[in-house]
Amino acid sequence: MEGPVCQVAWGCYVLLAISIGAHCAMSSDNLACPSTSDLRTQPVAALDKEGIGPAMTSIPMIACSTSLSEHHSGGSGTNKNKQMVEQLQRYGVISSKKVVEVMETIDRALFVPDGTPAYVDSPMAIGYNATISAPHMHATCLQLLEENLQPGMHALDVGSGTGYLTACFATMVGPQGRAIGVEHIPELVASSIKNIEKSAAVSPLKGGSLSVHAGDGREGWPEHAPYDAIHVGAAAPEIPQPLIDQLKPGGRMVIPVGKIFQDLQVVDKNLDGSVSIRSETAVRYVPLTSRDAQLKGY
Ligand code: SAH
């Protein structure tokens, strides 16, 4: 799907979002026009809270893109990252001071492929039929998990992709805590470690409180369980039992669940070990699946 057809597809997202009054204001000027494969795999498009229908909720961000080279040449990337976070606050996506702080600290431009617009509120292709989630989805998940990302706590990021959220988690839980990323594409594990090395989360990486591992995230990462916070960055047909088992009593998991129609579910493990589940919002993520299925295009 190219050119005008692509624009029509994006136009539909825009119209849908306007017609259902999605909670974020939008500007089609700032929407990136992704490639065919992006459209198939990337729509981490938040739906409206009532679940009426799909809509790309996109915040008018920074009109132009910033490449890594721009970032390194003048430091302007840091300001643009700050402006992106300000926009997310202005449009009501972020209300938490801690989430503002961490998103200002971890510059998104260091995690997107070179030449990709870093501060546009849209998911971006990162190769291997995967995407980096849109800034508003990162913000939403950080905010839902905030209480479970206190200093000293343990956090697991399943489907860690670029490593952006793993870096945020490590920054929030601090050197006494533990942030683990699990990603099943080894090349993404390697590139995420390089991304983290360039970012403000380099010290937890070097200090050992942040690590990223190649593996099937549906099995969790038992070595550092139980976890106060689990984030899953890909949609599971149903919640994997090992992830529930590895959640600490008092812990919280945020996970997109479903195939075509997906909900971002918030799973709280109560102190007696029982589990409460609620749907936060309708979403569309790439699937939590086998590596083979993902590389074949699902
Ligand atoms: N949250 C990340 C990536 C989101 S895309 C970011 O924003 O950068 C979802 C990621 O989940 C992809 O990187 C994909 O490779 C990974 N994934 C899908 N199924 C998986 C599985 N079974 N185990 C581990 N990772 C998986």
Side-chain angles (χ1 to χ4, degrees), residues 126 128-133 138 157-165 182-185 188 215-218 231 233-234 285-291 294:
I126 57 172
Y128 310 96
N129 291 323
T131 57
I132 179 170
S133 297
H138 281 156
D157 185 18
V158 171
S160 48
T162 60
Y164 176 85
L165 275 181
V182 183
E183 165 58 53
H184 69 167
I185 306 287
L188 287 178
D216 188 339
R218 294 172 291 190
H231 168 263
Y285 278 70
V286 300
L288 186 73
T289 185
S290 70
R291 188 168 50 215
Q294 182 172 325

PDB file of all heavy atoms in Angstrom, residues 126 128-133 138 157-165 182-185 188 215-218 231 233-234 285-291 294, ligand 1:
ATOM      1  N   ILE A 126      10.848  -1.329  13.499  1.00  0.00           N
ATOM      2  CA  ILE A 126      12.236  -1.503  13.956  1.00  0.00           C
ATOM      3  C   ILE A 126      12.874  -2.744  13.311  1.00  0.00           C
ATOM      4  O   ILE A 126      13.927  -3.207  13.735  1.00  0.00           O
ATOM      5  CB  ILE A 126      12.322  -1.597  15.503  1.00  0.00           C
ATOM      6  CG1 ILE A 126      11.448  -2.753  16.056  1.00  0.00           C
ATOM      7  CG2 ILE A 126      11.925  -0.271  16.142  1.00  0.00           C
ATOM      8  CD1 ILE A 126      11.646  -3.029  17.550  1.00  0.00           C
ATOM      9  N   TYR A 128      12.255  -6.886  11.566  1.00  0.00           N
ATOM     10  CA  TYR A 128      11.813  -8.194  12.067  1.00  0.00           C
ATOM     11  C   TYR A 128      10.304  -8.233  12.365  1.00  0.00           C
ATOM     12  O   TYR A 128       9.859  -8.903  13.298  1.00  0.00           O
ATOM     13  CB  TYR A 128      12.620  -8.592  13.328  1.00  0.00           C
ATOM     14  CG  TYR A 128      14.099  -8.451  13.126  1.00  0.00           C
ATOM     15  CD1 TYR A 128      14.763  -7.290  13.545  1.00  0.00           C
ATOM     16  CD2 TYR A 128      14.836  -9.429  12.468  1.00  0.00           C
ATOM     17  CE1 TYR A 128      16.120  -7.126  13.328  1.00  0.00           C
ATOM     18  CE2 TYR A 128      16.192  -9.273  12.247  1.00  0.00           C
ATOM     19  CZ  TYR A 128      16.823  -8.115  12.676  1.00  0.00           C
ATOM     20  OH  TYR A 128      18.171  -7.950  12.455  1.00  0.00           O
ATOM     21  N   ASN A 129       9.542  -7.454  11.622  1.00  0.00           N
ATOM     22  CA  ASN A 129       8.094  -7.356  11.828  1.00  0.00           C
ATOM     23  C   ASN A 129       7.735  -6.878  13.228  1.00  0.00           C
ATOM     24  O   ASN A 129       6.702  -7.273  13.788  1.00  0.00           O
ATOM     25  CB  ASN A 129       7.409  -8.687  11.537  1.00  0.00           C
ATOM     26  CG  ASN A 129       7.460  -9.010  10.058  1.00  0.00           C
ATOM     27  OD1 ASN A 129       7.351  -8.105   9.220  1.00  0.00           O
ATOM     28  ND2 ASN A 129       7.655 -10.275   9.718  1.00  0.00           N
ATOM     29  N   ALA A 130       8.571  -6.063  13.785  1.00  0.00           N
ATOM     30  CA  ALA A 130       8.319  -5.506  15.122  1.00  0.00           C
ATOM     31  C   ALA A 130       8.295  -3.980  15.044  1.00  0.00           C
ATOM     32  O   ALA A 130       8.688  -3.393  14.029  1.00  0.00           O
ATOM     33  CB  ALA A 130       9.407  -5.968  16.084  1.00  0.00           C
ATOM     34  N   THR A 131       7.811  -3.370  16.103  1.00  0.00           N
ATOM     35  CA  THR A 131       7.735  -1.904  16.147  1.00  0.00           C
ATOM     36  C   THR A 131       8.170  -1.410  17.526  1.00  0.00           C
ATOM     37  O   THR A 131       8.093  -2.159  18.500  1.00  0.00           O
ATOM     38  CB  THR A 131       6.278  -1.408  15.953  1.00  0.00           C
ATOM     39  OG1 THR A 131       5.457  -1.992  16.952  1.00  0.00           O
ATOM     40  CG2 THR A 131       5.741  -1.752  14.572  1.00  0.00           C
ATOM     41  N   ILE A 132       8.575  -0.157  17.578  1.00  0.00           N
ATOM     42  CA  ILE A 132       8.630   0.529  18.871  1.00  0.00           C
ATOM     43  C   ILE A 132       7.262   1.152  19.059  1.00  0.00           C
ATOM     44  O   ILE A 132       6.704   1.751  18.132  1.00  0.00           O
ATOM     45  CB  ILE A 132       9.766   1.587  18.942  1.00  0.00           C
ATOM     46  CG1 ILE A 132       9.766   2.281  20.312  1.00  0.00           C
ATOM     47  CG2 ILE A 132       9.690   2.608  17.823  1.00  0.00           C
ATOM     48  CD1 ILE A 132      11.004   3.163  20.576  1.00  0.00           C
ATOM     49  N   SER A 133       6.694   0.980  20.240  1.00  0.00           N
ATOM     50  CA  SER A 133       5.351   1.507  20.496  1.00  0.00           C
ATOM     51  C   SER A 133       5.351   3.032  20.425  1.00  0.00           C
ATOM     52  O   SER A 133       6.381   3.682  20.609  1.00  0.00           O
ATOM     53  CB  SER A 133       4.861   1.067  21.878  1.00  0.00           C
ATOM     54  OG  SER A 133       4.757  -0.328  21.932  1.00  0.00           O
ATOM     55  N   HIS A 138       3.722   4.059  25.505  1.00  0.00           N
ATOM     56  CA  HIS A 138       4.776   3.938  26.518  1.00  0.00           C
ATOM     57  C   HIS A 138       4.365   4.698  27.778  1.00  0.00           C
ATOM     58  O   HIS A 138       4.497   4.184  28.893  1.00  0.00           O
ATOM     59  CB  HIS A 138       6.098   4.502  25.980  1.00  0.00           C
ATOM     60  CG  HIS A 138       6.827   3.558  25.054  1.00  0.00           C
ATOM     61  ND1 HIS A 138       7.717   3.990  24.109  1.00  0.00           N
ATOM     62  CD2 HIS A 138       6.812   2.200  24.953  1.00  0.00           C
ATOM     63  CE1 HIS A 138       8.229   2.938  23.464  1.00  0.00           C
ATOM     64  NE2 HIS A 138       7.680   1.849  23.953  1.00  0.00           N
ATOM     65  N   ASP A 157      10.189  -6.784  31.407  1.00  0.00           N
ATOM     66  CA  ASP A 157       9.665  -6.214  30.160  1.00  0.00           C
ATOM     67  C   ASP A 157       9.702  -7.310  29.093  1.00  0.00           C
ATOM     68  O   ASP A 157      10.767  -7.623  28.551  1.00  0.00           O
ATOM     69  CB  ASP A 157      10.529  -5.008  29.761  1.00  0.00           C
ATOM     70  CG  ASP A 157       9.994  -4.266  28.542  1.00  0.00           C
ATOM     71  OD1 ASP A 157       8.806  -4.448  28.211  1.00  0.00           O
ATOM     72  OD2 ASP A 157      10.780  -3.502  27.935  1.00  0.00           O
ATOM     73  N   VAL A 158       8.548  -7.888  28.805  1.00  0.00           N
ATOM     74  CA  VAL A 158       8.469  -9.004  27.840  1.00  0.00           C
ATOM     75  C   VAL A 158       8.250  -8.438  26.436  1.00  0.00           C
ATOM     76  O   VAL A 158       7.333  -7.639  26.226  1.00  0.00           O
ATOM     77  CB  VAL A 158       7.299  -9.945  28.216  1.00  0.00           C
ATOM     78  CG1 VAL A 158       7.062 -10.981  27.118  1.00  0.00           C
ATOM     79  CG2 VAL A 158       7.577 -10.633  29.544  1.00  0.00           C
ATOM     80  N   GLY A 159       9.071  -8.845  25.487  1.00  0.00           N
ATOM     81  CA  GLY A 159       9.005  -8.269  24.136  1.00  0.00           C
ATOM     82  C   GLY A 159       9.643  -6.895  24.193  1.00  0.00           C
ATOM     83  O   GLY A 159       9.049  -5.889  23.796  1.00  0.00           O
ATOM     84  N   SER A 160      10.885  -6.858  24.693  1.00  0.00           N
ATOM     85  CA  SER A 160      11.500  -5.568  25.035  1.00  0.00           C
ATOM     86  C   SER A 160      11.945  -4.775  23.809  1.00  0.00           C
ATOM     87  O   SER A 160      12.232  -3.586  23.924  1.00  0.00           O
ATOM     88  CB  SER A 160      12.672  -5.775  26.007  1.00  0.00           C
ATOM     89  OG  SER A 160      13.524  -6.807  25.560  1.00  0.00           O
ATOM     90  N   GLY A 161      12.004  -5.411  22.632  1.00  0.00           N
ATOM     91  CA  GLY A 161      12.236  -4.687  21.369  1.00  0.00           C
ATOM     92  C   GLY A 161      13.442  -3.771  21.413  1.00  0.00           C
ATOM     93  O   GLY A 161      14.583  -4.217  21.517  1.00  0.00           O
ATOM     94  N   THR A 162      13.196  -2.479  21.333  1.00  0.00           N
ATOM     95  CA  THR A 162      14.284  -1.489  21.310  1.00  0.00           C
ATOM     96  C   THR A 162      14.951  -1.303  22.662  1.00  0.00           C
ATOM     97  O   THR A 162      16.005  -0.661  22.747  1.00  0.00           O
ATOM     98  CB  THR A 162      13.729  -0.101  20.927  1.00  0.00           C
ATOM     99  OG1 THR A 162      12.743   0.274  21.912  1.00  0.00           O
ATOM    100  CG2 THR A 162      13.093  -0.105  19.552  1.00  0.00           C
ATOM    101  N   GLY A 163      14.308  -1.756  23.734  1.00  0.00           N
ATOM    102  CA  GLY A 163      14.858  -1.580  25.081  1.00  0.00           C
ATOM    103  C   GLY A 163      14.403  -0.297  25.752  1.00  0.00           C
ATOM    104  O   GLY A 163      14.786  -0.016  26.892  1.00  0.00           O
ATOM    105  N   TYR A 164      13.556   0.500  25.059  1.00  0.00           N
ATOM    106  CA  TYR A 164      13.155   1.803  25.612  1.00  0.00           C
ATOM    107  C   TYR A 164      12.504   1.652  26.988  1.00  0.00           C
ATOM    108  O   TYR A 164      12.905   2.309  27.956  1.00  0.00           O
ATOM    109  CB  TYR A 164      12.202   2.525  24.636  1.00  0.00           C
ATOM    110  CG  TYR A 164      11.678   3.822  25.200  1.00  0.00           C
ATOM    111  CD1 TYR A 164      12.404   5.004  25.080  1.00  0.00           C
ATOM    112  CD2 TYR A 164      10.467   3.866  25.890  1.00  0.00           C
ATOM    113  CE1 TYR A 164      11.937   6.192  25.628  1.00  0.00           C
ATOM    114  CE2 TYR A 164       9.997   5.048  26.449  1.00  0.00           C
ATOM    115  CZ  TYR A 164      10.732   6.212  26.309  1.00  0.00           C
ATOM    116  OH  TYR A 164      10.272   7.385  26.874  1.00  0.00           O
ATOM    117  N   LEU A 165      11.494   0.782  27.087  1.00  0.00           N
ATOM    118  CA  LEU A 165      10.792   0.680  28.377  1.00  0.00           C
ATOM    119  C   LEU A 165      11.667   0.006  29.428  1.00  0.00           C
ATOM    120  O   LEU A 165      11.584   0.346  30.609  1.00  0.00           O
ATOM    121  CB  LEU A 165       9.465  -0.063  28.225  1.00  0.00           C
ATOM    122  CG  LEU A 165       8.277   0.787  27.779  1.00  0.00           C
ATOM    123  CD1 LEU A 165       7.011  -0.060  27.698  1.00  0.00           C
ATOM    124  CD2 LEU A 165       8.029   1.993  28.692  1.00  0.00           C
ATOM    125  N   VAL A 182      13.141  -9.243  28.067  1.00  0.00           N
ATOM    126  CA  VAL A 182      13.219 -10.526  27.354  1.00  0.00           C
ATOM    127  C   VAL A 182      12.654 -10.306  25.956  1.00  0.00           C
ATOM    128  O   VAL A 182      11.535  -9.794  25.797  1.00  0.00           O
ATOM    129  CB  VAL A 182      12.406 -11.645  28.057  1.00  0.00           C
ATOM    130  CG1 VAL A 182      12.590 -12.963  27.313  1.00  0.00           C
ATOM    131  CG2 VAL A 182      12.856 -11.813  29.488  1.00  0.00           C
ATOM    132  N   GLU A 183      13.451 -10.688  24.974  1.00  0.00           N
ATOM    133  CA  GLU A 183      13.095 -10.446  23.575  1.00  0.00           C
ATOM    134  C   GLU A 183      13.533 -11.676  22.777  1.00  0.00           C
ATOM    135  O   GLU A 183      14.634 -12.176  22.988  1.00  0.00           O
ATOM    136  CB  GLU A 183      13.833  -9.166  23.105  1.00  0.00           C
ATOM    137  CG  GLU A 183      13.877  -8.931  21.634  1.00  0.00           C
ATOM    138  CD  GLU A 183      12.502  -8.838  20.976  1.00  0.00           C
ATOM    139  OE1 GLU A 183      11.662  -8.045  21.425  1.00  0.00           O
ATOM    140  OE2 GLU A 183      12.279  -9.595  20.007  1.00  0.00           O
ATOM    141  N   HIS A 184      12.670 -12.161  21.864  1.00  0.00           N
ATOM    142  CA  HIS A 184      13.030 -13.417  21.194  1.00  0.00           C
ATOM    143  C   HIS A 184      13.792 -13.250  19.881  1.00  0.00           C
ATOM    144  O   HIS A 184      14.168 -14.246  19.270  1.00  0.00           O
ATOM    145  CB  HIS A 184      11.794 -14.320  21.035  1.00  0.00           C
ATOM    146  CG  HIS A 184      10.767 -13.821  20.068  1.00  0.00           C
ATOM    147  ND1 HIS A 184       9.743 -14.628  19.623  1.00  0.00           N
ATOM    148  CD2 HIS A 184      10.583 -12.619  19.477  1.00  0.00           C
ATOM    149  CE1 HIS A 184       8.984 -13.941  18.799  1.00  0.00           C
ATOM    150  NE2 HIS A 184       9.473 -12.726  18.691  1.00  0.00           N
ATOM    151  N   ILE A 185      14.008 -12.012  19.436  1.00  0.00           N
ATOM    152  CA  ILE A 185      14.846 -11.802  18.248  1.00  0.00           C
ATOM    153  C   ILE A 185      16.245 -11.386  18.734  1.00  0.00           C
ATOM    154  O   ILE A 185      16.424 -10.263  19.230  1.00  0.00           O
ATOM    155  CB  ILE A 185      14.251 -10.693  17.328  1.00  0.00           C
ATOM    156  CG1 ILE A 185      12.788 -10.979  16.966  1.00  0.00           C
ATOM    157  CG2 ILE A 185      15.120 -10.477  16.094  1.00  0.00           C
ATOM    158  CD1 ILE A 185      12.566 -12.103  15.974  1.00  0.00           C
ATOM    159  N   LEU A 188      17.554  -7.994  17.872  1.00  0.00           N
ATOM    160  CA  LEU A 188      16.950  -6.870  18.609  1.00  0.00           C
ATOM    161  C   LEU A 188      17.527  -6.780  20.022  1.00  0.00           C
ATOM    162  O   LEU A 188      17.679  -5.683  20.565  1.00  0.00           O
ATOM    163  CB  LEU A 188      15.418  -6.999  18.658  1.00  0.00           C
ATOM    164  CG  LEU A 188      14.683  -6.715  17.346  1.00  0.00           C
ATOM    165  CD1 LEU A 188      13.172  -6.927  17.509  1.00  0.00           C
ATOM    166  CD2 LEU A 188      14.958  -5.291  16.851  1.00  0.00           C
ATOM    167  N   GLY A 215      15.074 -14.782  24.552  1.00  0.00           N
ATOM    168  CA  GLY A 215      14.274 -15.918  25.015  1.00  0.00           C
ATOM    169  C   GLY A 215      12.820 -15.729  24.682  1.00  0.00           C
ATOM    170  O   GLY A 215      12.419 -14.656  24.190  1.00  0.00           O
ATOM    171  N   ASP A 216      12.055 -16.775  24.935  1.00  0.00           N
ATOM    172  CA  ASP A 216      10.613 -16.702  24.704  1.00  0.00           C
ATOM    173  C   ASP A 216       9.955 -16.076  25.935  1.00  0.00           C
ATOM    174  O   ASP A 216       9.877 -16.698  26.999  1.00  0.00           O
ATOM    175  CB  ASP A 216      10.056 -18.111  24.454  1.00  0.00           C
ATOM    176  CG  ASP A 216       8.597 -18.056  24.018  1.00  0.00           C
ATOM    177  OD1 ASP A 216       7.918 -17.037  24.287  1.00  0.00           O
ATOM    178  OD2 ASP A 216       8.126 -19.034  23.401  1.00  0.00           O
ATOM    179  N   GLY A 217       9.505 -14.855  25.749  1.00  0.00           N
ATOM    180  CA  GLY A 217       8.944 -14.098  26.862  1.00  0.00           C
ATOM    181  C   GLY A 217       7.669 -14.698  27.427  1.00  0.00           C
ATOM    182  O   GLY A 217       7.251 -14.327  28.531  1.00  0.00           O
ATOM    183  N   ARG A 218       7.043 -15.620  26.692  1.00  0.00           N
ATOM    184  CA  ARG A 218       5.837 -16.260  27.238  1.00  0.00           C
ATOM    185  C   ARG A 218       6.173 -17.098  28.454  1.00  0.00           C
ATOM    186  O   ARG A 218       5.294 -17.428  29.242  1.00  0.00           O
ATOM    187  CB  ARG A 218       5.160 -17.112  26.147  1.00  0.00           C
ATOM    188  CG  ARG A 218       4.624 -16.263  25.002  1.00  0.00           C
ATOM    189  CD  ARG A 218       4.143 -17.089  23.843  1.00  0.00           C
ATOM    190  NE  ARG A 218       5.246 -17.751  23.157  1.00  0.00           N
ATOM    191  CZ  ARG A 218       5.140 -18.392  22.001  1.00  0.00           C
ATOM    192  NH1 ARG A 218       3.970 -18.443  21.394  1.00  0.00           N
ATOM    193  NH2 ARG A 218       6.188 -18.962  21.432  1.00  0.00           N
ATOM    194  N   HIS A 231       5.548  -5.897  32.216  1.00  0.00           N
ATOM    195  CA  HIS A 231       4.960  -5.255  31.031  1.00  0.00           C
ATOM    196  C   HIS A 231       5.130  -6.211  29.861  1.00  0.00           C
ATOM    197  O   HIS A 231       6.210  -6.791  29.677  1.00  0.00           O
ATOM    198  CB  HIS A 231       5.697  -3.941  30.726  1.00  0.00           C
ATOM    199  CG  HIS A 231       5.345  -3.388  29.385  1.00  0.00           C
ATOM    200  ND1 HIS A 231       6.140  -3.597  28.260  1.00  0.00           N
ATOM    201  CD2 HIS A 231       4.281  -2.674  28.955  1.00  0.00           C
ATOM    202  CE1 HIS A 231       5.576  -3.010  27.217  1.00  0.00           C
ATOM    203  NE2 HIS A 231       4.452  -2.448  27.610  1.00  0.00           N
ATOM    204  N   GLY A 233       4.879  -6.269  25.773  1.00  0.00           N
ATOM    205  CA  GLY A 233       4.818  -5.321  24.654  1.00  0.00           C
ATOM    206  C   GLY A 233       4.248  -5.907  23.381  1.00  0.00           C
ATOM    207  O   GLY A 233       4.362  -5.299  22.312  1.00  0.00           O
ATOM    208  N   ALA A 234       3.644  -7.098  23.469  1.00  0.00           N
ATOM    209  CA  ALA A 234       3.044  -7.738  22.297  1.00  0.00           C
ATOM    210  C   ALA A 234       1.773  -8.453  22.772  1.00  0.00           C
ATOM    211  O   ALA A 234       1.692  -8.868  23.934  1.00  0.00           O
ATOM    212  CB  ALA A 234       4.023  -8.733  21.676  1.00  0.00           C
ATOM    213  N   TYR A 285      -1.658  -4.262  19.136  1.00  0.00           N
ATOM    214  CA  TYR A 285      -0.224  -4.522  19.215  1.00  0.00           C
ATOM    215  C   TYR A 285       0.134  -5.646  18.248  1.00  0.00           C
ATOM    216  O   TYR A 285      -0.724  -6.426  17.851  1.00  0.00           O
ATOM    217  CB  TYR A 285       0.155  -4.993  20.629  1.00  0.00           C
ATOM    218  CG  TYR A 285       0.347  -3.908  21.661  1.00  0.00           C
ATOM    219  CD1 TYR A 285      -0.719  -3.168  22.147  1.00  0.00           C
ATOM    220  CD2 TYR A 285       1.604  -3.649  22.190  1.00  0.00           C
ATOM    221  CE1 TYR A 285      -0.539  -2.194  23.119  1.00  0.00           C
ATOM    222  CE2 TYR A 285       1.794  -2.681  23.170  1.00  0.00           C
ATOM    223  CZ  TYR A 285       0.718  -1.959  23.628  1.00  0.00           C
ATOM    224  OH  TYR A 285       0.906  -1.005  24.589  1.00  0.00           O
ATOM    225  N   VAL A 286       1.428  -5.783  17.960  1.00  0.00           N
ATOM    226  CA  VAL A 286       1.897  -6.960  17.224  1.00  0.00           C
ATOM    227  C   VAL A 286       1.753  -8.177  18.148  1.00  0.00           C
ATOM    228  O   VAL A 286       1.735  -8.031  19.360  1.00  0.00           O
ATOM    229  CB  VAL A 286       3.365  -6.803  16.741  1.00  0.00           C
ATOM    230  CG1 VAL A 286       3.516  -5.617  15.822  1.00  0.00           C
ATOM    231  CG2 VAL A 286       4.329  -6.689  17.908  1.00  0.00           C
ATOM    232  N   PRO A 287       1.631  -9.402  17.585  1.00  0.00           N
ATOM    233  CA  PRO A 287       1.368 -10.564  18.443  1.00  0.00           C
ATOM    234  C   PRO A 287       2.561 -11.046  19.265  1.00  0.00           C
ATOM    235  O   PRO A 287       3.710 -10.949  18.820  1.00  0.00           O
ATOM    236  CB  PRO A 287       0.940 -11.660  17.454  1.00  0.00           C
ATOM    237  CG  PRO A 287       1.137 -11.137  16.102  1.00  0.00           C
ATOM    238  CD  PRO A 287       1.615  -9.730  16.154  1.00  0.00           C
ATOM    239  N   LEU A 288       2.251 -11.576  20.421  1.00  0.00           N
ATOM    240  CA  LEU A 288       3.216 -12.325  21.234  1.00  0.00           C
ATOM    241  C   LEU A 288       3.151 -13.748  20.700  1.00  0.00           C
ATOM    242  O   LEU A 288       2.156 -14.442  20.877  1.00  0.00           O
ATOM    243  CB  LEU A 288       2.808 -12.275  22.706  1.00  0.00           C
ATOM    244  CG  LEU A 288       3.790 -12.894  23.708  1.00  0.00           C
ATOM    245  CD1 LEU A 288       5.030 -12.007  23.877  1.00  0.00           C
ATOM    246  CD2 LEU A 288       3.134 -13.101  25.073  1.00  0.00           C
ATOM    247  N   THR A 289       4.210 -14.154  20.021  1.00  0.00           N
ATOM    248  CA  THR A 289       4.123 -15.388  19.248  1.00  0.00           C
ATOM    249  C   THR A 289       5.482 -16.087  19.228  1.00  0.00           C
ATOM    250  O   THR A 289       6.379 -15.717  19.977  1.00  0.00           O
ATOM    251  CB  THR A 289       3.615 -15.035  17.820  1.00  0.00           C
ATOM    252  OG1 THR A 289       3.425 -16.229  17.093  1.00  0.00           O
ATOM    253  CG2 THR A 289       4.586 -14.138  17.059  1.00  0.00           C
ATOM    254  N   SER A 290       5.609 -17.086  18.337  1.00  0.00           N
ATOM    255  CA  SER A 290       6.922 -17.733  18.195  1.00  0.00           C
ATOM    256  C   SER A 290       7.793 -16.872  17.267  1.00  0.00           C
ATOM    257  O   SER A 290       7.269 -16.111  16.436  1.00  0.00           O
ATOM    258  CB  SER A 290       6.752 -19.125  17.596  1.00  0.00           C
ATOM    259  OG  SER A 290       6.362 -19.003  16.252  1.00  0.00           O
ATOM    260  N   ARG A 291       9.091 -17.072  17.366  1.00  0.00           N
ATOM    261  CA  ARG A 291      10.004 -16.313  16.501  1.00  0.00           C
ATOM    262  C   ARG A 291       9.739 -16.640  15.031  1.00  0.00           C
ATOM    263  O   ARG A 291       9.687 -15.753  14.178  1.00  0.00           O
ATOM    264  CB  ARG A 291      11.452 -16.639  16.891  1.00  0.00           C
ATOM    265  CG  ARG A 291      12.453 -15.760  16.200  1.00  0.00           C
ATOM    266  CD  ARG A 291      13.825 -15.893  16.792  1.00  0.00           C
ATOM    267  NE  ARG A 291      14.206 -17.283  16.904  1.00  0.00           N
ATOM    268  CZ  ARG A 291      14.940 -17.789  17.887  1.00  0.00           C
ATOM    269  NH1 ARG A 291      15.365 -17.033  18.855  1.00  0.00           N
ATOM    270  NH2 ARG A 291      15.254 -19.069  17.912  1.00  0.00           N
ATOM    271  N   GLN A 294       6.678 -14.932  13.685  1.00  0.00           N
ATOM    272  CA  GLN A 294       6.913 -13.484  13.525  1.00  0.00           C
ATOM    273  C   GLN A 294       7.758 -13.202  12.282  1.00  0.00           C
ATOM    274  O   GLN A 294       7.442 -12.304  11.488  1.00  0.00           O
ATOM    275  CB  GLN A 294       7.612 -12.926  14.764  1.00  0.00           C
ATOM    276  CG  GLN A 294       7.835 -11.428  14.675  1.00  0.00           C
ATOM    277  CD  GLN A 294       8.346 -10.845  15.982  1.00  0.00           C
ATOM    278  OE1 GLN A 294       7.973 -11.291  17.059  1.00  0.00           O
ATOM    279  NE2 GLN A 294       9.191  -9.845  15.900  1.00  0.00           N
TER     280      GLN A 294
HETATM  281  N1  SAH B   1       7.984  -2.617  23.692  1.00  0.00           N
HETATM  282  C1  SAH B   1       9.007  -2.652  22.692  1.00  0.00           C
HETATM  283  C2  SAH B   1       8.691  -3.520  21.481  1.00  0.00           C
HETATM  284  C3  SAH B   1       7.252  -3.676  21.068  1.00  0.00           C
HETATM  285  S1  SAH B   1       7.030  -4.688  19.627  1.00  0.00           S
HETATM  286  C4  SAH B   1       9.332  -1.262  22.217  1.00  0.00           C
HETATM  287  O1  SAH B   1       8.492  -0.368  22.339  1.00  0.00           O
HETATM  288  O2  SAH B   1      10.442  -1.072  21.713  1.00  0.00           O
HETATM  289  C5  SAH B   1       6.830  -6.271  20.389  1.00  0.00           C
HETATM  290  C6  SAH B   1       8.106  -7.001  20.621  1.00  0.00           C
HETATM  291  O3  SAH B   1       7.767  -8.279  21.152  1.00  0.00           O
HETATM  292  C7  SAH B   1       8.906  -7.280  19.358  1.00  0.00           C
HETATM  293  O4  SAH B   1      10.215  -6.828  19.537  1.00  0.00           O
HETATM  294  C8  SAH B   1       8.839  -8.791  19.195  1.00  0.00           C
HETATM  295  O5  SAH B   1      10.022  -9.322  18.615  1.00  0.00           O
HETATM  296  C9  SAH B   1       8.656  -9.241  20.626  1.00  0.00           C
HETATM  297  N2  SAH B   1       8.055 -10.555  20.818  1.00  0.00           N
HETATM  298  C10 SAH B   1       6.958 -11.088  20.206  1.00  0.00           C
HETATM  299  N3  SAH B   1       6.721 -12.340  20.673  1.00  0.00           N
HETATM  300  C11 SAH B   1       7.676 -12.599  21.616  1.00  0.00           C
HETATM  301  C12 SAH B   1       7.965 -13.715  22.440  1.00  0.00           C
HETATM  302  N4  SAH B   1       7.242 -14.841  22.409  1.00  0.00           N
HETATM  303  N5  SAH B   1       9.002 -13.631  23.302  1.00  0.00           N
HETATM  304  C13 SAH B   1       9.774 -12.519  23.340  1.00  0.00           C
HETATM  305  N6  SAH B   1       9.572 -11.436  22.567  1.00  0.00           N
HETATM  306  C14 SAH B   1       8.519 -11.459  21.718  1.00  0.00           C
END
